[in-house]
Amino acid sequence: MIFRQLFDSASGTYSYLLASRHGGEALIIDPVLEKVDRYLKLMEELDLRLVKAIDTHLHADHITGLGALRDRTQCITVMGEQSKVDVVSMRVGEGDKLGIEGVSLDVLYTPGHTDDSYSFTMADRVFTGDTLLIRGTGRTDFQNGDARAQYESLQRLMRLSDETLVFPAHDYKGDTVSTIGEEKRYNPRLQVKDVDAYAALMANLNLPNPKMMDVAVPTNMHQGLLQAEIARRGWAVSAIEAQTLLGRRDVVWIDLRERSEREKHGVIPGSLHAPYPDLQENVRPGGVLHELAGATGKRLLFYCAFGERSAMAVRAAQDCGLASACHLEGGIGAWKDAGGACDR
Ligand SMILES: [Fe+2]
């Protein structure tokens, strides 16, 4: 496995780059905007293709690199389903798996620091975001934080095996990694007798707000810009308009989501499945979708969860000369809200 822990000293943030091999797919956890050039250079040097960029939660202390990485690599942006961030291309929930080629993360909902905080586990390690820090825990006094919920989340993390490596989203003291067993014994925040004691401890920290908070939170809330741009070019179909296109012989509906999303949220009847990571290959001349559109004269109508991946797909298809390609604005979420049919 290729594993890199990257540090942003201005905000004390750790970001993690993972891949199973050189020349393969990569994912990054908690990227920082100012470091995006560095990540891209490193991925180029290691011959990696970024497929997913993930935030463990809405950050208050730095601006996320998710939007910039999406714009520069067309990667999938991922956050938890509770997140209020306007558009991410894929949302995950408790018990889901989050994967790229050769790497699979188990998704654990661990609220408390914020109500959209997640941890991601692998066989030997856990990425804890700001839920569990090395000899500390993330503050719970803003962003819908809740010390009681965090206590429960920490109890869940403590049920991982003692040898599990702990990789947090931040450190301010110079530590890089710990283990669950070590934190159990030496993390002062975990030496409390019950949830009431933990809530009392967290209520009395009297921390100043993060320096970047007034800038970072509103900026991080609004990372989805692409859909409006695509609509301005006339490449978008609203969920209402799209109802009239269902079952039409001159339209091919293409689902860009992953199998797990299709199983969990259903599919639009009659649609083809062509996962987003293979898109570039599929829409270029000679690719399956390019040839399908060429041979049949059919219009390609892309859709995904929220319209973000499909907006990127439409741009890629248009770039490859598929002039009638369009996408379902707002994705299957908007489709269902508009009363659209859905197969399980
Ligand atoms: Fe945080």
Side-chain angles (χ1 to χ4, degrees), residues 54-73:
I54 303 152
D55 266 350
T56 51
H57 63 288
L58 175 65
H59 296 286
D61 56 357
H62 67 268
I63 295 176
T64 175
L66 251 56
L69 286 169
R70 173 204 55 206
D71 292 345
R72 292 175 64 179
T73 69

Side-chain angles (χ1 to χ4, degrees), residues 54-241:
I54 303 152
D55 266 350
T56 51
H57 63 288
L58 175 65
H59 296 286
D61 56 357
H62 67 268
I63 295 176
T64 175
L66 251 56
L69 286 169
R70 173 204 55 206
D71 292 345
R72 292 175 64 179
T73 69
Q74 280 69 57
C75 70
I76 297 171
T77 51
V78 185
M79 286 187 77
E81 59 196 11
Q82 290 80 2
S83 179
K84 312 280 190 307
V85 171
D86 58 351
V87 183
V88 289
S89 25
M90 185 174 174
R91 289 176 187 269
V92 292
E94 168 69 29
D96 284 349
K97 286 198 189 304
L98 184 56
I100 56 164
E101 174 201 8
V103 176
S104 179
L105 304 174
D106 286 326
V107 177
L108 233 58
Y109 180 43
T110 50
H113 169 59
T114 64
D115 58 358
D116 67 349
S117 286
Y118 275 79
S119 299
F120 302 101
T121 65
M122 293 175 72
D124 66 340
R125 65 194 64 198
V126 57
F127 302 97
T128 55
D130 288 354
T131 301
L132 174 63
L133 304 175
I134 299 172
R135 308 297 190 266
T137 57
R139 62 193 297 175
T140 55
D141 56 338
F142 59 76
Q143 289 186 283
N144 299 321
D146 179 341
R148 290 173 183 276
Q150 191 175 46
Y151 181 83
E152 297 309 325
S153 296
L154 291 164
Q155 299 307 304
R156 289 191 66 198
L157 292 174
M158 290 307 119
R159 287 198 284 274
L160 297 171
S161 76
D162 278 3
E163 304 75 48
T164 309
L165 298 169
V166 173
F167 288 104
H170 290 290
D171 193 83
Y172 310 100
K173 307 175 301 291
D175 292 310
T176 53
V177 61
S178 180
T179 65
I180 291 291
E182 213 179 293
E183 291 309 307
K184 242 183 229 171
R185 284 191 296 280
Y186 303 119
N187 188 322
R189 300 259 175 99
L190 298 176
Q191 310 309 314
V192 293
K193 71 174 192 316
D194 58 21
V195 63
D196 291 329
Y198 186 73
L201 172 72
M202 296 305 282
N204 289 301
L205 295 177
N206 298 318
L207 299 167
N209 280 345
K211 281 178 284 196
M212 288 277 288
M213 185 165 156
D214 295 340
V215 181
V217 171
T219 306
N220 289 342
M221 288 288 286
H222 300 291
Q223 287 294 310
L225 303 166
L226 202 59
Q227 290 200 48
E229 214 180 285
I230 296 294
R232 263 196 305 277
R233 298 190 190 189
W235 299 340
V237 176
S238 74
I240 303 283
E241 286 170 71

